[in-house]
Amino acid sequence: AVKTKEKYQVFLRRIAANKPFKQVTKEIRESPFLLAYSEGQTKFELAKAKDIFIIDNSFFARMFPVKGAPHESDLEEFYELIGSKYISKEVVKKYDIVGSAKRNTVLTKELMKRIAERRPLLVSPSITSKRRVPNAQSVLDEKHLEVYEAPNLKAVYSLKQSVRTQRITCFAQQGRFGKALLYVTPGFDWFDIAYAIGELILERCELEDAFLISSLLEKPLAQLKARGFPVE
């Protein structure tokens, strides 16, 4: 009836703007009336909410060809309300350590020193408004974080029946007694370090969060200060 994708998207915005909803009926949840994009937001179709992913990680979206919601925060909230899932939460991640992992190497000591130095910036609420996990203030201190060096690391990502494997230079996982474990390889990528730390301290780490954390870790303090960060 509205004839164009743009007009239909305006229609969806009008629905999403009428919050809070008293109820979301089964008919709405099961109806294929939402815009869904594929192939880099160039093709679109109408689909059910449960068949659409909210793309908060473009890396996963490239890895797995899925139907994605429009990149608009209000519409993403509406899609989630009626059954769409964030792709970062649906991709199952498994990590493998290739070789023997060791603590207290030159690399792990230097990295732990850098993390300890930048920790106040990483957990400061003035840096980003993204929601942090309840223990973000302590998860990166030396009592709760252990860093291991490994020769190689491998990530296995799966979404439904699709599985992808990729070499990585860092990942984090929960250890025993409430400790977080960070595994790194020689010649690591600061972005991989940042994404792993973001998954430890943020409720949901998106790519822009990893880029910010990477800058906070990698750049000299003088450069961060010149850019307005409270490095004192």
Side-chain angles (χ1 to χ4, degrees):
V2 298
K3 293 185 172 54
T4 68
K5 170 181 68 71
E6 290 74 19
K7 289 182 179 179
Y8 195 78
Q9 198 153 327
V10 171
F11 163 69
L12 290 178
R13 291 191 195 112
R14 291 177 62 186
I15 298 175
N18 285 285
K19 296 180 290 188
F21 304 103
K22 292 183 179 180
Q23 64 177 346
V24 177
T25 65
K26 181 181 179 181
E27 287 79 9
I28 290 178
R29 291 186 186 278
E30 294 297 322
S31 295
F33 79 103
L34 295 175
L35 277 175
Y37 292 86
S38 60
E39 297 186 19
Q41 299 275 307
T42 57
K43 295 184 178 180
F44 70 94
E45 60 183 289
L46 297 182
K48 301 176 184 179
K50 65 181 181 181
D51 295 329
I52 301 172
F53 288 92
I54 302 169
I55 307 301
D56 60 337
N57 187 313
S58 57
F59 171 71
F60 289 150
R62 292 192 300 272
M63 186 176 291
F64 300 101
V66 297
K67 298 173 184 178
H71 293 313
E72 295 184 30
S73 58
D74 290 344
L75 286 181
E76 288 176 352
E77 291 177 7
F78 177 59
Y79 277 49
E80 182 185 21
L81 174 70
I82 61 176
S84 296
K85 304 292 185 182
Y86 284 96
I87 193 169
S88 65
K89 293 184 178 294
E90 294 303 299
V91 173
V92 177
K93 299 180 283 289
K94 179 184 176 183
Y95 302 106
D96 291 330
I97 301 168
V98 183
S100 177
K102 299 178 181 179
R103 285 190 68 193
N104 298 319
T105 67
V106 173
L107 184 150
T108 62
K109 289 178 180 178
E110 288 297 317
L111 180 57
M112 191 68 228
K113 181 180 177 181
R114 177 65 64 92
I115 293 173
E117 178 187 67
R118 308 297 171 94
R119 184 170 67 91
L121 280 175
L122 297 174
V123 300
S124 171
S126 64
I127 300 301
T128 176
S129 60
K130 290 296 181 67
R131 295 184 62 178
R132 290 166 172 74
V133 298
N135 63 334
Q137 292 288 343
S138 62
V139 71
L140 298 181
D141 65 34
E142 294 182 356
K143 293 181 180 179
H144 299 95
L145 179 66
E146 294 181 355
V147 182
Y148 291 83
E149 179 180 350
N152 289 289
L153 301 173
K154 183 174 67 173
V156 181
Y157 304 108
S158 57
L159 181 64
K160 297 181 179 180
Q161 304 303 316
S162 300
V163 179
R164 303 287 187 273
T165 302
Q166 181 168 322
R167 292 278 184 179
I168 56 175
T169 65
C170 179
F171 75 84
Q173 67 181 23
Q174 293 298 321
R176 299 174 63 187
F177 309 114
K179 289 193 174 183
L181 309 179
L182 195 69
Y183 292 91
V184 298
T185 66
F188 60 75
D189 186 329
W190 278 111
F191 180 82
D192 287 352
I193 300 280
Y195 192 82
I197 289 178
E199 289 194 313
L200 290 175
I201 64 175
L202 299 176
E203 290 189 354
R204 191 174 76 249
C205 182
E206 301 183 45
L207 290 185
E208 59 265 30
D209 303 313
F211 280 119
L212 174 59
I213 294 172
S214 176
S215 295
L216 295 177
L217 286 169
E218 185 180 8
K219 302 299 182 185
L221 289 176
Q223 188 173 344
L224 292 177
K225 184 176 181 179
R227 292 181 177 179
F229 290 102
V231 298
E232 291 82 0

